[in-house]
Amino acid sequence: MEDRYEAGSALERLHERVEGIGQSQTRHEGKLDGFEENLHGVRAHVGKLSGELAEVRQELAGLESAVTDTRQTLDSFIEQYGRDREVAKAQAELSRLTTQWHADFAQRKHTRALARGLVHTLTAHAVKRGVVNTATVRACTEERMLLEPTYWLAPAAMTVAAAFRNEVERGESAHAHALMLDAAKTNLFFSLTYSRLGDQVKAANCMDLYLQSLDPDELGQDFFVVLDAIASKELGEEALGYTQLAMTGWSQSRQLTPGGPYPAVDLADGGHCEVRLQSLCRRMPRGQYDALRKVCGEQWKALAEGWELASVPGRTLAHLRRTFPDGPNGVDWPVSAGHYVESALERLINQLEPDEADMRERMRQLERVIEHGGDLEAAKAAHEMSLGPDAEPVTFMTLLDQAVFEPATARLGSPARRMALRAIWPSLEHAVNRIVAASRHHLPHHITLSIADWSCTVPTDPQRMVDPGSLLDDLATHIKRQTQEQSDAVVRRWPRFWGALAIGTLTGALVVPFVEGVWLGLFLLVALVMFGWAAWEICGVPLRRKHVLDQGGRLQHEAVATLAKALDQREDFFEEWHKSMGELTALTRWGGDRTPD
């Protein structure tokens, strides 16, 4: 009974606890419901806040885009403003220079027009027939002299007018004044003028003075036209002779401007021509004389260089014959109608003076800035492209080089290019002789052919016969003897035999019985390999000797074939070498047909 009573009490207490837990759970469920309601409120506030943040981000992105657009617009405005400012500055400066140009140089246009009319042959005829009053001519030229006292063409025109009136003293005074202002242009002007008027003696004298005043390292582009006129005999035989003497003196000059395209050496020794001539030499084609190259070894580099140099005379002669198909003297054509003199005189009269050229250059630069909307870099590039090659002077040696080797670049007629050939010929001939001497220096009397540890010496003279049969037999005998010695050297290698046998025995007796699985197979394989090796050392000697003999036979066949081909190529190689050097005689004879200066 007591036990039952105690069990009932325990159940009652347990029931009370369960009821208390239920009540507590009820209270907690109420709190959880409140907390859940609060959590829903928080979630609603967070969602609202997220929406507001998204709107803020969107507004910030729009603001950033607006700032970027504003910055780009501002940069474009600043850049365009800078260009517009450059254009405005260029327009203002161009307007100022244009005004100054007309103020300072407008009179020269009229002076040039007057000079152009005075030197015309029709003007001389008109004066002789009395169509033009000489007093009018004198008045016009004196007016030009008063308006342009520092411009050489004004007193030069006055000299021509004085000749029309036979006023010798006045003409000499005006001529002296023109020479004082610019001697070179004045002498050239009167040389061309006298030539047009038919006085070849005075034209030659003035041309001689003009040539003496030139710097051979800075020849203007006008000299090309003048040289064409002289070479075409439009200024007469005497002027041609003076020019040939001047060109010969320039070509033999020992001094060149420092920093020029040619070193300061004696030009008569042909040093400046060697690089040009070596560029004409024939290069060794790939694969040609391949067998000879293999048996020559280290000698081949010098031999190939000498062979290439030997081709210079022939290729130079071929180039000269293409460039001058009528020979160095050409065809004796009649004297041209004077268009070169007319062109040279027109260029001389229209040529701007240094102060004019400097201002015109500045005006053109400003025009380029305006054309390119203030873009200074684009304007500079466009201006440099517009200058062209005619803006730079050339050296006399460059002129000769272009006339002979680059006729399309020189822009000279055939007579002028033949004059250049006569001027450069001594240097060219000397350079070819030096190149041939260098080629001959690379040509030995004998060469050594080496192949398969065998060598022989053969002459380089193609006229000296070489018996290829004996050399080939000697090579075959050498390789056969060498092969036999190598075959006899194949013997049983007892140290290897005993070593392989010992390793195989020890492995089979001491290791194989005590291992299992993978190791058993591995060590068993090692033992079998060692026994096989030992057997090969005993039984493989005949096979190894046969292999050596077969290799020797193949080597003998290849070596004999290579040597036979090399001997054939030797004859062709050196025959072509000697023949190429012999072209020097033909080149000298071709140049020797020149008419002496």
Side-chain angles (χ1 to χ4, degrees), residues 18-321:
V18 169
E19 289 180 351
I21 291 172
Q23 293 175 358
S24 298
Q25 184 176 2
T26 303
R27 291 194 301 271
H28 284 303
E29 286 179 354
K31 293 180 179 180
L32 287 175
D33 292 338
F35 181 74
E36 187 174 357
E37 291 178 358
N38 293 333
L39 184 59
H40 283 301
V42 170
R43 287 176 179 173
H45 285 297
V46 170
K48 183 180 180 181
L49 183 59
S50 297
E52 293 176 353
L53 287 176
E55 293 177 358
V56 171
R57 288 195 187 97
Q58 187 175 1
E59 292 177 358
L60 288 175
L63 181 61
E64 184 177 358
S65 177
V67 171
T68 301
D69 294 340
T70 304
R71 179 180 298 172
Q72 292 177 351
T73 303
L74 182 60
D75 291 341
S76 300
F77 173 78
I78 294 174
E79 182 179 358
Q80 187 61 41
Y81 174 76
R83 291 186 177 182
D84 292 342
R85 185 175 60 179
E86 293 295 336
V87 170
K89 289 169 57 179
Q91 289 175 338
E93 182 66 11
L94 181 60
S95 178
R96 186 187 70 82
L97 290 178
T98 303
T99 303
Q100 184 178 353
W101 172 274
H102 288 291
D104 296 344
F105 307 123
Q107 296 297 331
R108 293 184 181 178
K109 179 179 180 180
H110 302 291
T111 304
R112 291 187 175 104
L114 176 62
R116 192 179 296 111
L118 283 174
V119 299
H120 202 284
T121 54
L122 294 179
T123 302
H125 293 315
V127 170
K128 285 183 179 180
R129 291 195 302 266
V131 177
V132 177
N133 190 347
T134 57
T136 303
V137 174
R138 176 179 176 179
C140 291
T141 55
E142 286 182 351
E143 180 186 7
R144 291 295 97 200
M145 181 65 189
L146 292 175
L147 293 174
E148 290 285 349
T150 61
Y151 183 31
W152 68 270
L153 192 56
M158 190 173 178
T159 305
V160 177
F164 288 153
R165 294 175 58 86
N166 294 320
E167 297 176 346
V168 178
E169 185 177 353
R170 182 183 297 273
E172 290 178 351
S173 298
H175 190 191
H177 186 70
L179 289 173
M180 180 188 67
L181 295 176
D182 195 322
K185 291 181 180 179
T186 299
N187 286 321
L188 178 58
F189 173 80
F190 283 107
S191 177
L192 298 173
T193 300
Y194 288 138
S195 173
R196 173 176 280 188
L197 297 177
D199 194 340
Q200 302 294 350
V201 176
K202 290 184 178 180
N205 293 334
C206 292
M207 179 55 64
D208 185 28
L209 295 174
Y210 166 70
L211 293 172
Q212 292 179 18
S213 65
L214 292 180
D215 182 0
D217 292 325
E218 292 187 5
L219 298 177
Q221 295 296 321
D222 293 335
F223 183 74
F224 287 86
V225 183
V226 175
L227 189 60
D228 273 327
I230 296 171
S232 300
K233 300 180 182 180
E234 293 184 2
L235 278 77
E237 293 286 350
E238 193 173 352
L240 177 62
Y242 285 146
T243 306
Q244 289 174 340
L245 289 175
M247 293 175 67
T248 300
W250 291 344
S251 65
Q252 293 177 351
S253 174
R254 299 182 63 87
Q255 298 296 329
L256 284 176
T257 303
Y262 301 104
V265 297
D266 186 358
L267 299 185
D269 67 358
H272 63 280
C273 290
E274 286 194 29
V275 175
R276 168 67 74 176
L277 294 178
Q278 288 181 7
S279 66
L280 295 176
C281 74
R282 179 189 177 193
R283 300 303 175 186
M284 180 74 70
R286 185 181 297 274
Q288 189 174 11
Y289 303 117
D290 194 49
L292 184 61
R293 178 184 59 82
K294 290 179 180 179
V295 299
C296 282
E298 297 180 355
Q299 306 171 91
W300 181 252
K301 183 178 180 181
L303 293 174
E305 182 178 355
W307 184 88
E308 291 178 351
L309 291 176
S311 65
V312 168
R315 293 176 71 87
T316 301
L317 180 58
H319 170 78
L320 293 177
R321 284 174 172 168

Side-chain angles (χ1 to χ4, degrees), residues 454-483:
W454 175 89
S455 62
C456 68
T457 301
V458 296
T460 58
D461 187 355
Q463 301 299 327
R464 296 179 59 182
M465 301 300 297
V466 175
D467 183 13
S470 61
L471 295 178
L472 296 177
D473 292 341
D474 189 25
L475 174 61
T477 302
H478 171 78
I479 296 178
K480 187 180 296 184
R481 183 173 58 253
Q482 188 180 55
T483 303

